[in-house]
Amino acid sequence: MNNSPSINPQAGSTLLSLSRFWLLKRKRLASELQGYLNDAQDLLDDLFRANQLLTAQNTEQSKRIAFLESSNTTLADQFQTESTKLVSTTQDLKQEKNRLKKAMQALGQAHANIKIQTEREAKALRQITELEAFLEDHRNQLLSKEQSVSLLESLTEQLKASHLHLEANYADINKQHLSLTEKFTLVSNILAQQPPINEDLARFADLITRDYMKFASRESSLAGEAQALLDMQAILTEMQMLNNFPSIAGKTILSVAGGFSSGKSAFLNSFIRDENVRLATGINPVTVVPSYVVCSEETQIKGYSYNGGAINLEPSLYKSMCHEYVQAFGFDLRRILPFISVKVPMDKDLFGNLCIIDTPGYNPGSLGGAAASDRSTAVSLVNQASALVWVIGLDPAGTIDQSDIEFIESTPFRSESLYIVLNKADVKSQEDILEIMEQVADDLSFAGIEYAGMCAYSSTSKSDYPSNGLTFDQFLRSINVKVDVVGKITSKLDSVFNAYKLAIKTDITRLQSRKDEFNAFKLDAMELGGTELFDRIDQAFPLSEQMFDYSELIGLLNECESLHDKLKLAARKALASIDGAHFESHVIDQKIGSALGILLGADTPTTA
């Protein structure tokens, strides 16, 4: 029954009808009966709910009883199985017991003396116990020996591995020993070298470091004096390099530069006719020590020390000088070996009067050590040159980077002195090369960079591809000319000292103009106020003569001209003693004599 039972509904309606006819007291009684009737109904509802709850609990208990009965059946089956096994085991034990009894009876029958039999049994048991102990001990010993054998086998394998490792270490140590010996010998030879003696160059250097510096410290007219000092130091450095490396005298300096992995060294290698000499190439930055490559009949490689001394280098050693090799020294090798000269057979018509600088990539990435200064090294080397070949690798993208454009913009090379090479052309199709060449041309034009020409080139096949403007051969022939060494150095000295002279003369002219204006002012004052006002002005400006005195400037101008002549004379004499300088000796004598005549105040030139 789902719904709660109710009291007969007619009882309520009957009470209601009676209450209408009964008196007030009876109506109250009917009302009380109605309350009792309602309470009885509430009690009936509570009993119904309790019955429902008990019914649900009974159902749950029935389920549990059914589950327990099922479990009991299973356990009974298991118990029956175990009981069967137990009975079987009991029977087996009984049979075994019977056999033992029969054996004991047989033993009793076989031995009359129970005491002796007991002693024998005890003795046998003791022997059995001892034998078991002996066997257990030997079993333990055997296990121990087996473990020892396993350990020995493991140790044998470890010893074999250690032996192989030691052999490898020995070979590596032996190789490192040879490498360390080689490096020690290289460093010792570099430090032991002395520069070639040139007394005239020493005189020139002394004039700069002593006389010129003394003059520059007293002279204050030149606004760009710091740049003048740098220019004079650069001239001295160039003179020292000509003295230490005479092979570059009279040659046009051509710098080959570009970004990391553009293939600059491989590009230069394609023009070297000696297969034994190769500039280091590879995936990682390899050009670490700058190389000056010049055309020569015979092959000769020299490393130049920091003080100008030179040592001969084997081609194999030179080829190994990459960043990893230099870092193995524990210091920057360029501090004692700043550059290397490479004299190799090349095409004279293209390279006979050229000195090519193989520069490190200006953007070597995040490598530390020597690679960190590659950009400054590249900038310094590029600024030494008279012309620039910028190499762009056509792999993978093949276009010119913005950083390349910014680097070229920072250099003075434009138009006839700049050439663009798209290297590794063998990795691109002809159509792609033309498209890339057009894109590079547009980028350079947009940046306002003019160039003599552009070509695609393959260092692997040593073959030319399409070009724009001059071909690479035409560009090389245009710059493959001799350089007037004396004229070049003299021109640089003239540029510095002409700036000094112009600045001093400008100061003299300015003082003269101010003095003339002041004298005109005094004359105007005399016309207006007479001698009294003129005297008052003199009294007001007692140091006017000293204020407008330019005699010291005239002295500095004379000193400047004298120092200028001395330096040009010393430079010519120093260059005359350098082997390989390209100028006639009688011209040198004439110029030296003229300069000495000027210095000594003679009427006719004196022969040096």
Side-chain angles (χ1 to χ4, degrees):
M1 183 174 61
N2 296 327
N3 296 325
S4 175
S6 60
I7 300 174
N8 188 358
Q10 293 181 355
S13 59
T14 303
L15 287 174
L16 180 61
S17 299
L18 291 174
S19 64
R20 292 176 181 175
F21 299 99
W22 289 352
L23 295 176
L24 181 60
K25 184 176 181 181
R26 291 178 178 177
K27 288 183 178 181
R28 188 181 303 113
L29 179 61
S31 178
E32 290 177 356
L33 290 173
Q34 182 66 41
Y36 292 149
L37 187 62
N38 291 338
D39 291 340
Q41 182 64 45
D42 292 338
L43 181 60
L44 183 61
D45 291 340
D46 292 339
L47 291 173
F48 176 76
R49 283 192 294 272
N51 181 60
Q52 289 289 89
L53 180 60
L54 289 173
T55 302
Q57 290 177 352
N58 184 44
T59 302
E60 183 66 24
Q61 290 293 333
S62 298
K63 290 180 180 179
R64 293 184 64 184
I65 290 170
F67 175 74
L68 290 174
E69 288 177 349
S70 175
S71 300
N72 183 45
T73 302
T74 302
L75 291 174
D77 293 340
Q78 293 178 353
F79 176 77
Q80 184 65 32
T81 303
E82 292 297 327
S83 298
T84 303
K85 291 181 180 179
L86 184 60
V87 170
S88 176
T89 304
T90 304
Q91 292 176 353
D92 292 339
L93 289 174
K94 286 182 178 180
Q95 293 175 359
E96 188 68 25
K97 183 178 180 180
N98 292 331
R99 285 197 295 269
L100 289 174
K101 285 181 178 180
K102 290 179 180 180
M104 292 297 294
Q105 291 173 1
L107 288 173
Q109 293 175 1
H111 300 283
N113 194 344
I114 298 175
K115 183 176 181 180
I116 296 174
Q117 180 63 31
T118 303
E119 291 178 356
R120 287 180 178 178
E121 289 178 358
K123 183 178 180 181
L125 289 174
R126 288 195 300 271
Q127 289 178 350
I128 290 172
T129 303
E130 292 176 358
L131 181 60
E132 289 178 349
F134 177 78
L135 291 174
E136 182 68 20
D137 183 56
H138 276 268
R139 188 176 68 83
N140 293 333
Q141 291 180 7
L142 182 60
L143 290 174
S144 177
K145 289 180 180 180
E146 288 178 352
Q147 293 175 355
S148 299
V149 170
S150 299
L151 180 61
L152 288 173
E153 290 177 350
S154 176
L155 290 175
T156 301
E157 294 296 326
Q158 294 179 8
L159 287 173
K160 288 181 179 179
S162 299
H163 180 69
L164 294 175
H165 183 66
L166 287 173
E167 286 182 347
N169 283 345
Y170 175 77
D172 185 54
I173 291 171
N174 188 39
K175 182 179 178 180
Q176 290 181 5
H177 173 70
L178 295 176
S179 178
L180 288 173
T181 303
E182 176 188 273
K183 292 172 184 177
F184 175 77
T185 303
L186 176 62
V187 172
S188 300
N189 290 338
I190 293 172
L191 297 177
Q193 297 306 310
Q194 295 298 323
I197 299 174
N198 188 334
E199 295 180 355
D200 296 317
L201 179 60
R203 168 63 180 159
F204 179 80
D206 185 63
L207 283 172
I208 290 180
T209 56
R210 188 186 61 180
D211 296 17
Y212 168 73
M213 295 303 294
K214 186 184 297 183
F215 163 76
S217 65
R218 292 188 292 107
E219 198 284 324
S220 60
S221 300
L222 183 62
E225 187 171 4
Q227 185 59 47
L229 291 172
L230 294 176
D231 292 341
M232 291 299 292
Q233 291 175 355
I235 292 172
L236 177 58
T237 300
E238 184 174 356
M239 292 282 290
Q240 291 171 340
M241 188 168 185
L242 287 170
N243 180 68
N244 301 336
F245 185 21
S247 298
I248 66 171
K251 296 186 182 295
T252 299
I253 306 298
L254 171 63
S255 178
V256 177
F260 159 61
S261 191
S262 58
K264 301 178 296 299
S265 298
F267 172 69
L268 287 178
N269 283 336
S270 65
F271 300 105
I272 297 176
R273 294 179 175 177
D274 188 348
E275 295 294 332
N276 295 322
V277 178
R278 285 291 177 267
L279 281 70
T281 59
I283 297 176
N284 295 321
V286 289
T287 301
V288 56
V289 181
S291 297
Y292 291 76
V293 183
V294 295
C295 179
S296 175
E297 295 291 339
E298 298 180 354
T299 298
Q300 185 182 51
I301 304 176
K302 286 189 175 183
Y304 287 83
S305 66
Y306 66 100
N307 62 355
I311 61 171
N312 292 322
L313 297 177
E314 292 296 326
S316 59
L317 176 60
Y318 170 66
K319 186 178 180 180
S320 66
M321 283 192 176
C322 59
H323 276 292
E324 289 78 5
Y325 181 84
V326 171
Q327 287 176 351
F329 282 85
F331 66 96
D332 191 353
L333 185 64
R334 290 177 296 192
R335 294 172 60 185
I336 63 173
L337 189 72
F339 69 93
I340 296 173
S341 70
V342 182
K343 298 170 67 174
V344 286
M346 302 174 74
D347 188 346
K348 285 187 176 181
D349 293 337
L350 300 179
F351 302 99
N353 294 306
L354 295 181
C355 174
I356 305 173
I357 308 177
D358 180 26
T359 64
Y362 73 94
N363 55 346
S366 60
L367 291 175
S373 61
D374 278 353
R375 182 178 179 87
S376 61
T377 303
V379 171
S380 175
L381 294 173
V382 167
N383 289 334
Q384 292 179 14
S386 302
L388 173 65
V389 172
W390 191 264
V391 181
I392 302 171
L394 287 178
D395 61 330
T399 57
I400 187 168
D401 293 335
Q402 181 61 32
S403 57
D404 288 6
I405 294 176
E406 293 173 357
F407 191 97
I408 296 174
E409 286 178 332
S410 67
T411 69
F413 304 107
R414 296 293 184 274
S415 190
E416 292 82 4
S417 62
L418 174 63
Y419 197 87
I420 309 298
V421 173
L422 304 181
N423 196 21
K424 306 179 184 179
D426 51 296
V427 302
K428 297 288 184 180
S429 65
Q430 188 89 351
E431 183 180 353
D432 290 340
I433 291 174
L434 292 174
E435 184 178 350
I436 293 172
M437 186 175 292
E438 183 178 355
Q439 181 63 49
V440 173
D442 290 342
D443 292 340
L444 293 173
S445 176
F446 182 78
I449 299 175
E450 298 180 356
Y451 52 93
M454 179 193 308
C455 76
Y457 184 81
S458 171
S459 301
T460 304
S461 61
K462 302 181 182 179
S463 57
D464 294 320
Y465 287 79
S467 60
N468 180 8
L470 294 180
T471 65
F472 189 57
D473 284 3
Q474 291 172 340
F475 173 73
L476 291 176
R477 293 179 192 277
S478 68
I479 62 174
N480 186 31
V481 294
K482 293 182 179 180
V483 177
D484 180 8
V485 182
V486 176
K488 182 181 178 182
I489 296 297
T490 302
S491 176
K492 291 183 178 181
L493 289 172
D494 291 343
S495 177
V496 173
F497 281 94
N498 287 342
Y500 275 111
K501 293 175 186 178
L502 178 60
I504 295 172
K505 289 179 180 178
T506 301
D507 283 354
I508 291 174
T509 302
R510 184 169 58 251
L511 287 175
Q512 286 177 338
S513 176
R514 290 180 179 177
K515 184 175 182 179
D516 293 341
E517 290 175 359
F518 185 73
N519 289 333
F521 169 71
K522 289 172 63 178
L523 292 176
D524 292 342
M526 181 179 289
E527 290 180 1
L528 295 174
T531 57
E532 181 179 355
L533 181 57
F534 185 85
D535 293 338
R536 288 177 62 187
I537 291 174
D538 273 344
Q539 292 175 2
F541 299 96
L543 302 178
S544 60
E545 290 297 326
Q546 297 180 13
M547 290 171 54
F548 303 115
D549 183 19
Y550 49 83
S551 60
E552 184 177 353
L553 290 175
I554 292 176
L556 283 174
L557 181 61
N558 293 332
E559 183 180 351
C560 179
E561 292 177 347
S562 175
L563 181 58
H564 185 192
D565 293 334
K566 288 180 181 180
L567 283 169
K568 288 197 293 185
L569 172 61
R572 292 189 183 104
K573 293 182 69 176
L575 291 171
S577 60
I578 296 176
D579 183 25
H582 298 276
F583 48 88
E584 299 295 335
S585 59
H586 67 277
V587 176
I588 298 173
D589 292 339
Q590 183 179 357
K591 291 182 177 180
I592 293 175
S594 300
L596 279 175
I598 294 172
L599 292 175
L600 299 174
D603 295 331
T604 57
T606 304
T607 302

